[in-house]
Amino acid sequence: MLQNNPKQNLFGFQLPPDFFLPEIVDKYNKVIKAMGGTFDNIEDVINESIQEVRIPSLGYELIRQFDTGLQNQSLPDLQIKDLVDQNQITVVFRHTDGYLSYFCLLEHFYRLFQHARDNSVVGQSVKETIKRKIDLPLILLQRNGNPIFIAIYKWVFMLSMPALTFTYATQNREYITFEVNFGFYEFSTKVNLPKIVADPDGNKK
């Protein structure tokens, strides 16, 4: 049954298994195992800390032409991919014990940038430099768990991470998060609308 209240709608989003560099996985898995707890690998720790995902808006501006004092407006000659406001998505992570999630992503970001800088060629695109095809899927779910919308952001690379502020002024423990911006080159979408099925008596369900 269609529900007008989206309160129980869910989304699914996680970094893929090949997102982190192997040396990052090996280093931080040892830390996770030494700390003990529910998780035994850094990928699960990072994915569990994801709190929010912000995707770019779509839009365009009409072309305005002036002729004999009358204003005419027409659609621009654009491809679908050109409708994206910014080729980046923002993911909000929760800080984990010892700021582990932050420093894992920070070191991964630094190593990727260092690798790209050391291997970059003048005139090369970022896509040609990073040479790692990472895709991030965002799945919107109905309250029963069925996917209704899938957006896949392709050739994703990290763009920025925020600074950290440490203060003694806060007396109570706070729920602290941080944002990471990811750029992407391409994206695709798929809408899975639920099918209407009738039982033998003709009742739709």
Side-chain angles (χ1 to χ4, degrees):
M1 179 183 296
L2 175 66
Q3 299 288 330
N4 287 337
N5 186 357
K7 181 177 180 181
Q8 298 187 28
N9 287 351
L10 304 172
F11 74 94
F13 182 88
Q14 63 179 13
L15 304 180
D18 59 346
F19 176 81
F20 289 106
L21 296 169
E23 57 266 32
I24 295 293
V25 173
D26 183 62
K27 175 181 178 178
Y28 283 87
N29 277 354
K30 293 177 181 178
V31 176
I32 294 297
K33 292 178 181 178
M35 294 175 67
T38 305
F39 303 104
D40 60 0
N41 65 81
I42 190 61
E43 294 100 327
D44 288 347
V45 171
I46 299 297
N47 283 326
E48 191 276 336
S49 71
I50 294 175
Q51 303 297 300
E52 182 181 326
V53 180
R54 293 197 291 269
I55 62 177
S57 60
L58 300 176
Y60 59 85
E61 293 185 2
L62 294 175
I63 298 176
R64 298 180 179 181
Q65 298 176 342
F66 296 88
D67 183 24
T68 64
L70 298 177
Q71 177 176 301
N72 297 319
Q73 300 185 89
S74 59
L75 295 175
D77 184 16
L78 297 174
Q79 302 293 325
I80 294 297
K81 64 179 181 180
D82 299 323
L83 299 180
V84 179
D85 180 49
Q86 288 183 314
N87 277 40
Q88 70 178 53
I89 60 176
T90 300
V91 182
V92 179
F93 296 88
R94 185 185 72 254
H95 279 295
T96 54
D97 188 16
Y99 299 94
L100 192 65
S101 56
Y102 178 87
F103 286 109
C104 176
L105 286 164
L106 180 67
E107 185 172 357
H108 176 73
F109 183 25
Y110 171 76
R111 287 178 181 261
L112 278 180
F113 179 79
Q114 186 179 44
H115 173 78
R117 183 195 60 190
D118 294 342
N119 294 276
S120 63
V121 177
V122 176
Q124 260 189 349
S125 66
V126 177
K127 186 176 180 180
E128 295 171 320
T129 302
I130 57 177
K131 297 179 181 178
R132 297 182 77 242
K133 188 177 185 301
I134 302 296
D135 297 339
L136 294 182
L138 171 65
I139 305 174
L140 303 187
L141 307 169
Q142 284 183 304
R143 60 191 181 97
N144 57 7
N146 292 330
I148 57 174
F149 176 82
I150 303 173
I152 301 178
Y153 300 91
K154 304 176 181 180
W155 284 97
V156 170
F157 52 94
M158 296 178 71
L159 281 177
S160 65
M161 289 189 63
L164 278 183
T165 300
F166 305 97
T167 177
Y168 285 114
T170 302
Q171 298 298 321
N172 299 321
R173 181 181 178 89
E174 292 185 345
Y175 190 73
I176 307 175
T177 61
F178 64 96
E179 299 180 357
V180 178
N181 291 319
F182 296 88
F184 62 89
Y185 270 88
E186 305 168 9
F187 78 99
S188 61
T189 60
K190 180 180 181 182
V191 178
N192 288 327
L193 294 178
K195 296 181 179 179
I196 304 299
V197 181
D199 59 25
D201 297 327
N203 299 315
K204 295 181 179 180
K205 58 181 180 177

